[in-house]
Amino acid sequence: METIKKLISKQSLEKLYTTLSASRKVYAPVVAAAQRVEYKYNPAFADVTFEHIQSTLSVKNVVFPKVENILYYTNNKTDSTITEIDLTKIQEVVLWGAHPCDTAAYDILRSIFCWDIKDEFFAKRLEKLVVIGLACHQSDAYCFCTSVGLAPNSTKGSDILLSKLKSGDYLAEILTEKGNAIVTASPDLFEQSNNDEVVITEVKQKFNHEQVTEKLKTAFENPFWIENSLRCIGCGACAYICPTCACFDIQDETKGKEGRRYRSWDSCGLKLFTLHTSGHNPREVQSQRWRQRIMHKFSYMPARNKSLGCVGCGRCSRGCPVDMNIAEQLQDLEKLEV
Amino acid sequence: MSNVATKAKELLESKAVQVVIGYENGTNGVVRPAFITTPANATKLIYDERCVQNLAVYLTKHEVKHFGKMGIVATLPVMRSIMMLISEQQVLPDNIVVIGIADDGNILDFADMKIMQAHIGKSNLENPSKDQEKLAELNKMSLEERFKFWENEFSKCIKCYACRQSCPMCYCTRCFTDCNQPQWLPVQSNTHGNMEWHILRAMHLAGRCISCGECGRACPVNIPCHLLTMQLAAQTFNYFNVHAGISEDMKSVMSTFEPNDKESFII
């Protein structure tokens, strides 16, 4: 549908939140501690913040939970009885105030989860997700959305995109039918849009991702990977807080005869990730694992999924205990002689 | 050029070491570990009050050991980690050169481990005071309150294992969490499973933790998990009168029986 531009005042925004929160699950950002923002379900409006540059964890868990049951079973004498998960029970979630990097991530996740076989769990959750995005009126040195084909006011992945205006009210761009349904349910909260100026931060481009992808084609054996990953301690922090990382482990947990099979987040940065039963590990050392992370996001995914595996949110770099700043690494890579 | 850089340059020029592990300026005003392999690059090395990360974790890392002999910039916690690693046969004293940093920031030359041992022996080996304060607060709580505190903290844990990976003493090539026969701990993140993980890791560190606090610093969601291991460090001292990381040949506290060990809990 064609984008509709409306104005929503500060007061109407609160009314909208209160209305939505009364009858639906609303996932909104709150200040959890000094310099830490987390998304929570249905917090009081007074606790909701729109002043965060970024939350610590991403919001991928609304479509890709950190733990998700995929079936239940009862073990009989010689076989098991499987109980499927009733996906119709998945509730709608309104994501309130996700920045454009996070909203764009859902499409990247879809390119993975619905690539050849449709992941029903993911697909259902995405279908039930309504995204109210929030354009960025501030950013920090870790942000690099503009280096990966995005922007602080990108509409990609939002059903409604809110942009802060100089007056303190918000421009609401209604982008999809899902977004329009929210407007038609509370029409008095959305006014005629005016010519007030939007406040959008500037995010300077740090590297050219096409150049990076090109360089990666012949960079596999380059000593760069060892030099640049010596300090990497091999934890899963970057993968878990990343909005586009989608790897998962599957485990069964049984008590007596009853059990459940679940999937949970996994990280290619961990040594166990590629350990074979034989004891052989094709990615025995950390430099191979670091190489995998970068190549997956900037080489393999563009080639196979036709999209980058990164939205430039900068979380991995903010959260990394040893400053494996991905934008810096990619700038170095761009300058590499291959 | 900083003192540390000068010393590193000397060591690399004389080929006493093939790599120096130290600190350099990172992005956006942070410091990060540096691995210097040429005398020319030694100028990158700095030392200031931001340099608190425990670098000893890299002494057991394959790609770092691969360079050859390793020089390492070492504040007191790092020195103690090095002693622990030597006493547990994970590092050979002949393979490393310690560039010690005194409390006043000056370089300490340790010609051998006995000299470093003497330096450690003269130093304050208690838990850092701000952590002691936090522990005192927690110890004043009732069992229920304390349990609630940790439940709340561990509900945030995402099982990324940054705590384990940043710890010099967690060098096991196969951590107990990576075993599935049996599966000792749930793989997923859930509050009580996360608690189990942190409690068990702390137990594996009793008598071995030197209270650097790196685990708490590494945590991407700011859980103060270092308080658990520091609490056990303090308790180990109470029961056995031993601080971790004080000599090359100290015996493992939890697996050594001394005739005068307290047995008040069974006798």
Side-chain angles (χ1 to χ4, degrees):
Chain A
M1 59 168 252
E2 271 231 17
T3 304
I4 304 168
K5 287 192 175 167
K6 293 270 182 192
L7 177 103
I8 180 163
S9 70
K10 270 203 304 242
Q11 297 81 0
S12 295
L13 196 64
E14 179 168 357
K15 288 205 187 96
L16 180 64
Y17 180 87
T18 313
T19 310
L20 290 171
S21 188
S23 57
R24 302 203 245 191
K25 285 172 85 163
V26 181
Y27 203 43
V30 300
V31 178
Q35 288 151 19
R36 272 182 37 82
V37 169
E38 289 169 11
Y39 282 75
K40 298 237 187 271
Y41 283 107
N42 302 68
F45 186 77
D47 295 333
V48 176
T49 179
F50 264 15
E51 295 307 310
H52 62 299
I53 290 174
Q54 204 37 291
S55 55
T56 308
L57 296 177
S58 77
V59 286
K60 71 183 175 188
N61 54 321
V62 290
V63 292
F64 174 43
K66 89 181 167 183
V67 188
E68 179 170 32
N69 292 332
I70 56 179
L71 57 87
Y72 297 101
Y73 52 84
T74 306
N75 289 330
N76 311 313
K77 250 185 145 57
T78 52
D79 63 3
S80 302
T81 315
I82 310 288
T83 309
E84 301 282 358
I85 305 285
D86 183 1
L87 292 176
T88 64
K89 294 239 166 62
I90 291 176
Q91 294 176 281
E92 195 180 57
V93 173
V94 177
L95 179 55
W96 179 267
H99 287 307
C101 44
D102 285 332
T103 61
Y106 293 118
D107 213 38
I108 295 176
L109 288 174
R110 192 220 314 269
S111 79
I112 299 167
F113 283 106
C114 301
W115 179 17
D116 44 4
I117 297 170
K118 190 167 108 170
D119 183 310
E120 297 292 347
F121 299 90
F122 173 88
K124 190 52 130 186
R125 289 183 192 278
L126 188 62
E127 184 198 307
K128 294 285 190 176
L129 181 69
V130 182
V131 178
I132 300 181
L134 174 66
C136 301
H137 55 270
Q138 42 183 356
S139 56
D140 68 11
Y142 291 96
C143 293
F144 62 97
C145 58
T146 50
S147 306
V148 289
L150 293 169
N153 60 346
S154 167
T155 55
K156 200 157 188 244
S158 284
D159 295 301
I160 299 177
L161 180 67
L162 301 172
S163 301
K164 195 169 184 183
L165 296 167
K166 274 211 145 100
S167 61
D169 297 326
Y170 290 82
L171 165 69
E173 290 173 88
I174 322 298
L175 302 151
T176 66
E177 294 298 345
K178 267 187 194 171
N180 204 28
I182 296 215
V183 177
T184 51
S186 312
D188 349 299
L189 300 179
F190 293 87
E191 307 161 47
Q192 180 92 303
S193 87
N194 58 22
N195 289 323
D196 200 4
E197 212 181 309
V198 284
V199 184
I200 304 290
T201 185
E202 189 195 352
V203 178
K204 287 209 164 71
Q205 189 171 349
K206 294 186 174 180
F207 58 86
N208 180 320
H209 68 84
E210 277 162 1
Q211 292 254 42
V212 169
T213 300
E214 192 56 41
K215 280 271 155 87
L216 285 174
K217 286 183 179 158
T218 47
F220 197 79
E221 299 296 350
N222 201 294
F224 167 92
W225 303 113
I226 299 177
E227 287 152 23
N228 277 47
S229 69
L230 286 170
R231 62 185 184 274
C232 173
I233 56 175
C235 67
C238 54
Y240 289 1
I241 66 184
C242 169
T244 58
C245 276
C247 285
F248 56 87
D249 190 13
I250 295 180
Q251 293 282 329
D252 288 350
E253 265 178 23
T254 314
K255 194 170 180 181
K257 289 199 170 22
E258 308 292 326
R260 66 196 178 101
R261 176 164 295 171
Y262 66 83
R263 68 166 166 202
S264 61
W265 293 348
D266 206 349
S267 163
C268 62
L270 299 167
K271 186 170 175 181
L272 189 64
F273 191 76
T274 46
L275 181 65
H276 293 182
T277 321
S278 64
H280 168 64
N281 192 338
R283 294 185 204 138
E284 182 64 44
V285 294
Q286 201 59 45
S287 47
Q288 295 166 311
R289 298 190 279 269
W290 177 247
R291 174 177 62 189
Q292 159 61 17
R293 180 172 176 75
I294 302 293
M295 297 215 55
H296 188 173
K297 289 173 176 294
F298 289 90
S299 180
Y300 310 147
M301 280 186 70
R304 308 293 292 277
N305 295 49
K306 307 287 179 267
S307 84
L308 287 178
C310 175
V311 291
C313 71
R315 284 189 176 88
C316 55
S317 313
R318 290 186 202 94
C320 176
V322 297
D323 192 37
M324 292 290 281
N325 188 308
I326 198 172
E328 187 198 28
Q329 300 258 349
L330 293 164
Q331 285 172 314
D332 286 349
L333 194 57
E334 202 185 4
K335 300 193 205 102
L336 206 59
E337 298 285 325
V338 288
Chain B
M1 200 158 72
S2 68
N3 292 345
V4 176
T6 311
K7 185 74 191 162
K9 187 162 186 278
E10 272 169 39
L11 289 170
L12 288 163
E13 272 168 346
S14 66
K15 300 216 192 310
V17 300
Q18 279 71 54
V19 63
V20 175
I21 309 166
Y23 304 94
E24 66 178 4
N25 279 311
T27 59
N28 306 319
V30 302
V31 296
R32 67 191 185 197
F35 301 84
I36 310 295
T37 51
T38 62
N41 280 339
T43 50
K44 288 190 190 170
L45 290 175
I46 59 158
Y47 182 77
D48 61 35
E49 69 284 347
R50 298 170 300 161
C51 302
V52 292
Q53 185 186 343
N54 193 330
L55 299 175
V57 69
Y58 297 109
L59 293 173
T60 50
K61 188 175 177 185
H62 173 91
E63 292 100 310
V64 179
K65 283 173 16 181
H66 195 65
F67 284 117
K69 293 208 177 178
M70 305 174 277
I72 179 165
V73 175
T75 51
L76 181 65
V78 181
M79 289 180 211
R80 292 175 68 189
S81 290
I82 292 170
M83 281 301 189
M84 279 308 304
L85 287 170
I86 293 173
S87 73
E88 291 186 357
Q89 329 262 25
Q90 299 304 308
V91 165
L92 285 171
D94 287 343
N95 284 354
I96 63 171
V97 173
V98 180
I99 304 172
I101 309 274
D103 281 340
D104 57 10
N106 280 321
I107 306 275
L108 296 163
D109 242 312
F110 294 133
D112 64 53
M113 289 301 151
K114 287 279 174 279
I115 300 177
M116 190 164 93
Q117 191 170 313
H119 174 82
I120 294 172
K122 287 186 292 183
S123 306
N124 179 2
L125 303 177
E126 291 186 350
N127 286 334
S129 46
K130 67 167 163 56
D131 299 303
Q132 282 193 44
E133 276 169 33
K134 186 70 193 173
L135 281 172
E137 254 180 64
L138 286 172
N139 285 324
K140 279 208 206 77
M141 293 181 187
S142 68
L143 277 178
E144 290 79 12
E145 286 171 331
R146 210 178 316 149
F147 193 80
K148 270 235 129 32
F149 172 84
W150 286 114
E151 256 188 336
N152 180 44
E153 291 295 339
F154 292 133
S155 66
K156 302 183 228 161
C157 173
I158 53 177
K159 294 289 275 308
C160 70
Y161 296 115
C163 47
R164 173 187 77 185
Q165 296 300 121
S166 63
C167 176
M169 299 319 294
C170 280
Y171 52 73
C172 286
T173 47
R174 192 138 177 248
C175 177
F176 73 95
T177 62
D178 294 342
C179 293
N180 65 0
Q181 292 196 356
Q183 187 77 53
W184 298 110
L185 286 183
V187 170
Q188 51 154 308
S189 158
N190 68 61
T191 302
H192 293 125
N194 300 341
M195 260 181 139
E196 283 181 318
W197 157 242
H198 286 278
I199 291 171
L200 285 171
R201 194 182 89 90
M203 293 303 283
H204 285 190
L205 285 167
R208 304 171 68 231
C209 172
I210 49 80
S211 301
C212 64
E214 197 55 46
C215 47
R217 268 193 296 274
C219 178
V221 293
N222 289 85
I223 297 168
C225 55
H226 61 291
L227 292 175
L228 287 181
T229 54
M230 284 192 188
Q231 169 77 343
L232 285 187
Q235 290 213 338
T236 311
F237 185 73
N238 283 342
Y239 290 130
F240 301 101
N241 218 37
V242 174
H243 280 298
I246 55 173
S247 73
E248 296 176 87
D249 45 20
M250 63 184 297
K251 293 190 243 170
S252 156
V253 174
M254 300 307 286
S255 55
T256 309
F257 175 71
E258 298 290 348
N260 58 4
D261 280 340
K262 288 185 193 147
E263 292 175 273
S264 49
F265 58 95
I266 46 172
I267 300 177

